[in-house]
């Protein structure tokens, strides 16, 4: 009998002068469900998918600061994952 392993971790990433908390949950397809929030407390949920050794953001209605920070999130996740 196999059991499912739930892998969850948090990474703090400095974006535009502010520390942001990103929560990652590993999916069975080896990608990550991710969430973070902004200064007003709005929560953004998106997926990090790995293509060609690079983590990419996939999601809808995400703010520009988050999309512009894809490289920083990729670097932090590549060190951890």
């Amino acid at each position: 009998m196999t059991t499912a392993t739930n892998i969850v971790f948090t990474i703090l990433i400095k974006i535009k002068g502010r520390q942001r908390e990103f929560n990652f949950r590993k999916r069975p397809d080896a990608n990550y469900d991710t969430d973070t929030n902004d200064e007003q407390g709005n929560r953004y949920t998106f997926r990090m998918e790995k293509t060609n050794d690079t983590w990419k953001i996939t999601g809808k209605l995400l703010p520009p600061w988050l999309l512009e920070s894809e490289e920083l999130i990729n670097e932090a996740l590549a060190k951890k994952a």
Side-chain angles (χ1 to χ4, degrees):
M1 182 172 132
T2 60
T3 59
T5 302
N6 192 17
I7 298 173
V8 179
F9 56 92
T10 298
I11 300 176
L12 293 174
I13 304 171
K14 193 169 191 174
I15 297 175
K16 297 196 176 199
R18 297 185 52 93
Q19 286 278 22
R20 306 241 183 218
E21 181 179 286
F22 288 83
N23 303 303
F24 296 90
R25 181 174 180 269
K26 193 165 190 175
R27 300 175 43 81
D29 62 5
N31 293 315
Y32 290 92
D33 287 330
T34 310
D35 69 78
T36 190
N37 63 340
D38 62 13
E39 295 84 12
Q40 291 80 33
N42 299 313
R43 181 133 322 256
Y44 300 102
T45 305
F46 55 96
R47 183 168 296 157
M48 294 297 292
E49 293 183 356
K50 193 169 191 177
T51 37
N52 301 327
D53 295 326
T54 303
W55 292 100
K56 299 285 185 186
I57 294 174
T58 60
K60 295 181 180 177
L61 302 175
L62 298 174
W65 66 264
L66 185 57
L67 298 173
E68 293 165 1
S69 303
E70 183 176 67
E71 178 82 20
L72 293 171
I73 301 166
N74 171 56
E75 291 172 11
L77 186 55
K79 291 177 187 176
K80 183 74 175 180

